Amino acid sequence: MPDPKAFLTTPRRQRERRDPQARLDDRREVYRPGALLPIINQQADRCMDCGLPFCHHACPLGNLIPDWNVLVADDHWRRAAARLLATNNFPEFTGRLCPAPCESACVLAIDADAVTIKNIELEIADRAWESGADQPKPPDRMTGFRVAVIGSGPAGLAAAQQLTRAGHTTTVYERADRIGGLLRYGIPPFRLEKHRLERRLAQMRAEGTGFRTGAAVGDDDLPADRLRERHDAVVIAIGATACRDLALPGREADGVHQAMTYLTLANRTDEGDHPVSPLSAEGRSVVIVGGGDTAADCLGTALRQRAAAVTQLDINPRPPHDRADDQPWPVHPKVYRVTTSHEEAGAPVADPRVFTATTVGFETDGRGHLAGVRIASAAPGDRHPTPGTERTLPADLALLALGFSGPERENRIAEQLGLTHDARGNLTRDEEFATSADGVFVAGDAGRGQSLIVWAIAEGRSAAAAVDRYLRGGTADLPAPITATSRALHA
Ligand SMILES: Cc1cc2nc3c(=O)[nH]c(=O)nc-3n(C[C@H](O)[C@H](O)[C@H](O)COP(=O)(O)OP(=O)(O)OC[C@H]3O[C@@H](n4cnc5c(N)ncnc54)[C@H](O)[C@@H]3O)c2cc1C
Ligand code: SF4
């Protein structure tokens, strides 16, 4: 029986992780299997079931968090799964990978530790798979409309699943040889084991979604305008993977690479495409330039490849441990975070990050090979080197993880359909995800800019609702959790 005062008596406990050093011996997920089970009901019971649940509003999917917390606390797992799957197509991905803005907005977090919402979501999702509560849901009848989805990241997959379940004949066109977008070739298996992706794809196939790999829309043999002619509607979900570069002296040195080149090869090696990664950090001194998720994934990968040394450069100052005054509850604050990769490198005691570090150039050994990364300190908010602070970090591998500037421009889809880009380089669309081309919609990072999986799923669901409305010409049946301009809670 749930205890209404559990938030006063039960401390927050997080899912246990395996020993950081033992984790480096494999590329399996960092969590201890089954570690959640004994404690999760009590953790869900900490939910105060507030009248106005800010957590629900902070989740872009509008996950019905208090509802499933009550059900889990009472051991009603199947009903909890039904509530969760009503708003989230892929909770096994968000339960592992979401930064959980919902927890920052939990009312309990005003003066105590937030409910472990993400862990609870994950446990419901994993149990739903194990118990058969997350079954294929093929449509009752087909509408006769044909929809093409371009791109198979979380936005494209969510859109495709919603459209297929609504009865539209839906095919996903993916230029890569495997389905999944950044879930496949960006995020490493120690954060998401790929059999979880395969399981979801098998479900989608069983429901009727078609997949075509090696299908680069925009190329001469598959122009986007011809694809549009053959379908009643098209959803473009091609991501925002144009990598930012560093135009600095020595950039052309052998040994300076984009982080995505490095991560893709590591992931391909795990898929069995190479016996060892053609771009391995083994025995090398690595400098990672950048402070985000991509940089952290490079760190965890380099440690597993047995790099001799790894340093990560972050242009920003080290964030505070607690919320700054200008980032009050319920916004998701910038605080000092130790990711699982940083933990493996020894943080917080021996943090591999150098904060307020700006890169000045790359030094070579005289034969074109990288020998060091020249850095300097920078005042907060300023990228210019502070005089007298320049120094060189020895390095024979430098990885650039500087973020992304929208969809790749060499993609000819926009040109073939007469689409434009906005000021930030993303594909232009209206509030309803529609472009200027009739029946063509944009979902995910391609329209929003590089974001999060939870936003990509929300975009895919909402774009599917817009397509459904366009095709049927009436009121949509499908849920639309966000508009194209919805943004995270901010101060
Ligand atoms: C290394 C890394 C780690 C990340 N970690 C996290 C995390 O922990 N948590 C989190 O929430 N978010 C994370 N993100 C962000 C998250 O992965 C993205 O926001 C999300 O994947 C965007 O989904 P999407 O479907 O819009 O695009 P993508 O996942 O980028 O998928 C786009 C797909 O379109 C395909 N495509 C492109 N052009 C064409 C074409 N012409 N024809 C056919 N197909 C095409 C691409 O090959 C790709 O498969 C991370 C990002 C990176 C790079
Ligand atoms: S998807 Fe993210 S924001 Fe939404 S409930 Fe799950 S962890 Fe929280």
Side-chain angles (χ1 to χ4, degrees), residues 55 58-63 65 68 84 88 94-95 98-103 117-118 121 454:
C55 56
C59 172
L61 286 163
N63 274 349
I65 298 163
W68 33 262
L84 175 57
N88 189 351
T94 48
C98 187
C102 55
E103 293 188 15
I117 298 169
K118 176 173 157 176
E121 176 178 39
V454 62

Side-chain angles (χ1 to χ4, degrees), residues 97-99 150-157 173-176 178 180-183 186-188 191 215-218 237-241 260 263 293-294 297 404 408 411 413 443-446 449-454 456:
L97 300 166
C98 187
I150 311 174
S152 70
L157 292 179
Y173 293 81
E174 168 56 56
R175 74 176 167 189
R178 293 186 180 90
L182 291 173
L183 296 173
I187 293 164
R191 293 205 300 124
V217 180
I238 56 175
T241 46
M260 285 310 296
L263 288 175
D293 278 338
T294 309
D297 283 343
F404 303 87
E408 296 162 22
N411 228 316
I413 296 175
D445 283 2
Q450 188 71 214
S451 182
L452 293 172
I453 291 159
V454 62

Side-chain angles (χ1 to χ4, degrees), residues 430-456:
D430 67 13
E431 191 73 358
E432 295 277 288
F433 303 87
T435 67
S436 53
D438 181 45
V440 178
F441 299 77
V442 172
D445 283 2
R448 178 170 290 272
Q450 188 71 214
S451 182
L452 293 172
I453 291 159
V454 62
W455 280 103

Side-chain angles (χ1 to χ4, degrees), residues 197-375:
L197 181 55
E198 297 301 348
R199 184 175 59 183
R200 187 57 80 178
L201 296 176
Q203 181 195 62
M204 290 181 67
R205 285 191 184 95
E207 291 170 347
T209 300
F211 291 98
R212 276 191 55 192
T213 52
V217 180
D219 282 3
D220 290 342
D221 56 345
L222 193 54
D225 42 355
R226 199 167 331 137
L227 193 78
R228 170 69 189 94
E229 282 162 21
R230 295 206 315 253
H231 294 82
D232 298 294
V234 171
V235 179
I236 304 174
I238 56 175
T241 46
C243 302
R244 292 212 181 90
D245 214 309
L246 260 190
L248 289 176
R251 165 65 182 89
E252 70 291 347
D254 180 18
V256 183
H257 297 273
Q258 280 291 350
M260 285 310 296
T261 309
Y262 172 73
L263 288 175
T264 303
L265 286 169
N267 276 309
R268 284 190 169 284
T269 305
D270 285 308
E271 296 275 1
D273 293 353
H274 311 285
V276 287
S277 175
L279 182 56
S280 173
E282 187 178 358
R284 298 171 84 172
S285 297
V286 185
V287 172
I288 302 164
V289 186
D293 278 338
T294 309
D297 283 343
C298 288
L299 173 64
T301 303
L303 293 171
R304 281 165 179 76
Q305 291 174 343
R306 305 293 173 198
V310 192
T311 307
Q312 185 191 338
L313 307 178
D314 193 331
I315 188 87
N316 298 302
R318 184 183 160 124
H321 279 277
D322 299 316
R323 281 179 187 278
D325 290 343
D326 61 351
Q327 298 170 49
W329 180 90
V331 303
H332 192 56
K334 282 199 182 81
V335 290
Y336 176 71
R337 295 180 212 273
V338 175
T339 70
T340 56
S341 297
H342 295 113
E343 189 181 54
E344 288 152 6
V349 179
D351 198 317
R353 283 170 283 191
V354 181
F355 292 97
T356 52
T358 189
T359 311
V360 181
F362 301 95
E363 293 179 358
T364 59
D365 61 0
R367 285 170 296 143
H369 300 294
L370 179 70
V373 178
R374 192 106 183 110
I375 66 165

